[in-house]
Amino acid sequence: MMTMQLSHYPAAIAQAAQRVNELDSQIMAVQQLINREEGNADTRSAFDPDLKNDTQRRSRRFELLLVSQEYQTALNTLLQLTAEKANALAHLEYLRNQFSVAKLECRRAIAQQLTDFESRELVGL
């Protein structure tokens, strides 16, 4: 696995964070579609004169949503986007951690160089 230069991490982290934000936006749009479809099913079942009680209305609502291709597609899309967001968040966290490690390694190298320089000075080299 190849690590990138220290100066490239901020841009990569920003890009990864932007991807998470884009997925959040897509998830919100799909959630609105799901809410609209559920609202339509609620309205249709609530005002159906053939339904006598809440159990029948809930059952009819479930049936309406089950046969709604738009609703089923939206649910599948929501699942896919949720998984993509989880992966994007994991990638973002990975980049942040790699950046932290790279900074620590850089500091350690600087400290080692200073220690080597001071040791040579003490010996008189």
Side-chain angles (χ1 to χ4, degrees), residues 55-97:
T55 303
Q56 289 178 342
R57 287 184 193 89
R58 280 193 300 273
S59 178
R60 179 66 179 144
R61 175 187 186 272
F62 178 76
E63 289 171 356
L64 290 169
L65 293 174
L66 199 58
V67 298
S68 169
Q69 187 61 45
E70 192 172 7
Y71 183 75
Q72 295 302 319
T73 299
L75 284 179
N76 289 337
T77 301
L78 181 62
L79 289 174
Q80 176 190 357
L81 289 172
T82 301
E84 282 184 46
K85 181 183 173 190
N87 289 334
L89 283 169
H91 180 66
L92 175 60
E93 189 63 27
Y94 173 78
L95 285 173
R96 287 178 175 158
N97 289 337

Side-chain angles (χ1 to χ4, degrees), residues 3 6 9 16 18 33 39 45 66 69 71 83 101 107 112 124:
T3 58
L6 198 60
Y9 278 101
Q18 180 59 36
L33 177 62
S45 62
L66 199 58
Q69 187 61 45
Y71 183 75
V101 168
R107 287 180 184 147
Q112 185 63 47

Side-chain angles (χ1 to χ4, degrees), residues 11-75:
I13 289 169
Q15 184 178 10
Q18 180 59 36
R19 178 66 182 140
V20 171
N21 290 339
E22 289 168 2
L23 289 166
D24 266 338
S25 177
Q26 291 174 3
I27 287 170
M28 287 181 0
V30 170
Q31 190 61 58
Q32 284 181 337
L33 177 62
I34 289 170
N35 292 344
R36 187 186 70 204
E37 288 295 312
E38 289 175 347
N40 289 340
D42 287 341
T43 301
R44 289 178 61 192
S45 62
F47 295 107
D48 187 333
D50 295 333
L51 303 177
K52 306 293 185 228
N53 57 43
D54 283 342
T55 303
Q56 289 178 342
R57 287 184 193 89
R58 280 193 300 273
S59 178
R60 179 66 179 144
R61 175 187 186 272
F62 178 76
E63 289 171 356
L64 290 169
L65 293 174
L66 199 58
V67 298
S68 169
Q69 187 61 45
E70 192 172 7
Y71 183 75
Q72 295 302 319
T73 299
L75 284 179

